[in-house]
Amino acid sequence: MVKRIFFHLSVLLPLLLFMTGCWDRLEIEARGFVIGVAIDLVDKDNNDPTVELTSQFVIPGGIGAPTQGGKEDQSPYMNFSETGKSLFSINREMRKATNLVPFYQHLKVIILSEDVVKQPHLMTNMMDVFIRDHDMRRNVKLLITEGKAKKLLETGQQESPLPAMYINNLMDTSFVNNATVKPVIIGDLHGELLMEKSFIVPKIELMDEHIKYEEVGVFKGKTNQLIGVLDGEETKGLNFITQQIEGGTLELEVDGELTTVEIIDYRSNTEIKGEDKENLQAEVAVEITGNIVESFSSQTLLNEEYAVKVEEHTKEKVEDLMELTVDRVQGEMQADVLGMSDILYRSHYELWKEIEGNWEYGENYFSQMDINVSADVKIERVGASDVIDKEGEEIN
Amino acid sequence: MKHFEYADEKISEKEILIVIPSTLIGIGILSLPAELAGYTTAADGWVAIAVSGILIIFVVWLISKVAASFPNQEFITYASALVTKPVATVLTILFSLEGVFICTYVVRVISDIAEEYLFDRTPVEVIGLAFLLTVVYAVSGSRAGLFRLNMMFLPIISFIMFLVTVFSFGLFEMDNFFPVLKTDMSGYVQGIRASTLSYIGFYILFFYIALVRKPEKTPKMAALGMGMTVLIYLITFIISIGVFGNITASNLIFPVIEIAKEVEVPGGFFERFDSIFFVIWIMAIFNTMCMAFDVTVFSLKSVFPVKKIKLIFILSPIIFFLSMFPASYYEVEKFGSFISHYGVTLVLTTMILLTVALKIKGVKKRG
């Protein structure tokens, strides 16, 4: 009996040795949580461009709650740059220089310099590792910027000390501004790259200490390079056509007075008619419901006639904005970011298969297409008060 | 230590209902949506899953019908009665080979997935060995116990599937489902072939029905179990397309894992849903492998009069070394495709052979 117990112990005790831990154990202190990445162009040798990758690591000690005193002089983040040709090898290079192991599962934003994305195909090559690597999540937001991208990772803000988080939150909260688009994430981009479609990526700009989030970059399919930027007004037009944003504002002049209409709801619907590929016609119809939120006018707003007037002005404004965008993307850019190819694919599949190869290139059916826009506006409310300033009356 | 002994090693027809989805849901379902999306347009792959599903439900029903005609008889016994002893023995050995292949493939794929997504630096061999040892431990125990384990795990697996489906609704894009039914004929044929091949494993019915106490209702139960499997396949395919769209889904290697990575419990309260998904999914794959291993032991035991534990100790090293044999992802894929073809051919041949023989000879009572 005793012998048996000894036998069992001699087998089981050595087994304990194999149960002591995890092969992949990595202490949390040794991990470098990367929350933002910026990519700049160093040398645009055409075949073999060199890029600079900047990673933003979080330093947990620097964030500390203010009540605990914290170490005031310690920055909550650390940016680390390295140059090279392949992002994966740059990443490995980084391990030589820091004692942190880069950990990308909490990556929030990728910022690309315009210089990088203007090169044909370079954008695709840079994105490959972010899509392929299992460590990367598919909801990382993508941005472009003019000038140095890594400068954006250095903008300290009082309210959010981590630049990458600041940019991330900025994009999440500006959805009521129709001069911006819905953030573009890596997962969406993957689909667009595979379909060789033209696509958009929002652009941010550094203004002194603050960041301006407006305008979008347009990328042409196949070469996947930046071919132009839509400004704020054109972006509004794009939003009305493709229905990206939930709300937004429009400034109009009604009887020479400035009136601001807030869009509370809108539905955009595009239909393509005509089976003749030479003569495609698209009808874009937008239905808008809005409120008057600001008015410099001294007339009563409760008057239905006035509301009709505002509605008409809004309609005109919206149609103008959409036409502006349509002209730009059809004419100068010849890039279908209006989603027309999707509609053809979904509702006119056979026709689409026929013209697919000559959509943006070759015969260029996209630019030949007739796009008509129309808007239908309904003003619902005028705010809590009618007339704030009755012309002259208070003085008399 | 005292072992809990089950009264007898018999199961009820309800356990047959459970064992089919438990065995079939495993690895195939993780990558099938990608393959199907490649062959078809938009979400048309559901047609392929449904058509092949109905086909296989019929096959499953027929298999159970044949096996249930000989209540409480093992495969080798009733097959010998129908198609002579030597043929029955050869068939049994061929089926055990399929079992060994499935185990091999499962060990390899689960280790590869675990290494890719979970353990960066742990060698594949170590992960594979750990998994295999767990399965060996399970199979060494009671057979009825394994069936009860299936019964316990399946609701958990269904629940996690349900969670993934519900949370992925937020990521759905209706546009991904259009155009409808634009796939050409060859696309459907390819799709049906692919989904039929992914339903390997139901051959266990040939063997396990012998364990059912009263097998009158088993054909119905087996068909129902198969129907459940097809339904889960359908749901998985539809959420993969809804979330990613056809082109992206066809480009991902394991769309289902990517969905699990993408879904978040609303409110940012739980971001890393994939970690839970993996835990549960390994349970599903564990079930698959347990049944495949056990049925192999069961069938070999009917041919060779060796003790069960001895068979397990002979098979385990073979499975382990075979599983570490393919050098790359491509070779593993080729091996997987070979197993599917081999399995489907074998099952269909056996089924036809037995059904025809049964029609000619009829059931001999007490034969």
Side-chain angles (χ1 to χ4, degrees), chain B residues 183-194:
Chain B
T183 310
D184 49 1
M185 214 45 221
S186 75
Y188 283 128
V189 172
Q190 292 269 47
I192 291 170
R193 191 185 59 90

Side-chain angles (χ1 to χ4, degrees), chain A residues 188-246:
Chain A
D188 296 341
L189 183 76
H190 187 195
E192 264 135 24
L193 292 179
L194 286 171
M195 281 184 267
E196 301 192 325
K197 287 202 305 193
S198 294
F199 56 94
I200 48 172
V201 175
K203 182 178 167 182
I204 53 171
E205 240 178 290
L206 193 62
M207 316 278 279
D208 302 324
E209 277 296 277
H210 280 272
I211 285 169
K212 197 175 96 185
Y213 174 38
E214 210 180 81
E215 305 187 333
V216 295
V218 174
F219 288 72
K220 182 114 174 183
K222 282 192 182 157
T223 53
N224 300 316
Q225 67 191 112
L226 184 73
I227 50 163
V229 174
L230 296 177
D231 64 20
E233 295 285 284
E234 288 163 340
T235 308
K236 284 186 184 182
L238 180 72
N239 272 329
F240 281 121
I241 298 172
T242 57
Q243 189 160 17
Q244 296 233 351
I245 298 288
E246 290 162 32

Side-chain angles (χ1 to χ4, degrees), chain A residues 229-231 234 324-334:
Chain A
V229 174
L230 296 177
D231 64 20
E234 288 163 340
L324 193 71
T325 313
V326 168
D327 284 351
R328 182 98 195 272
V329 296
Q330 266 194 314
E332 181 201 327
M333 293 176 172
Q334 304 193 336

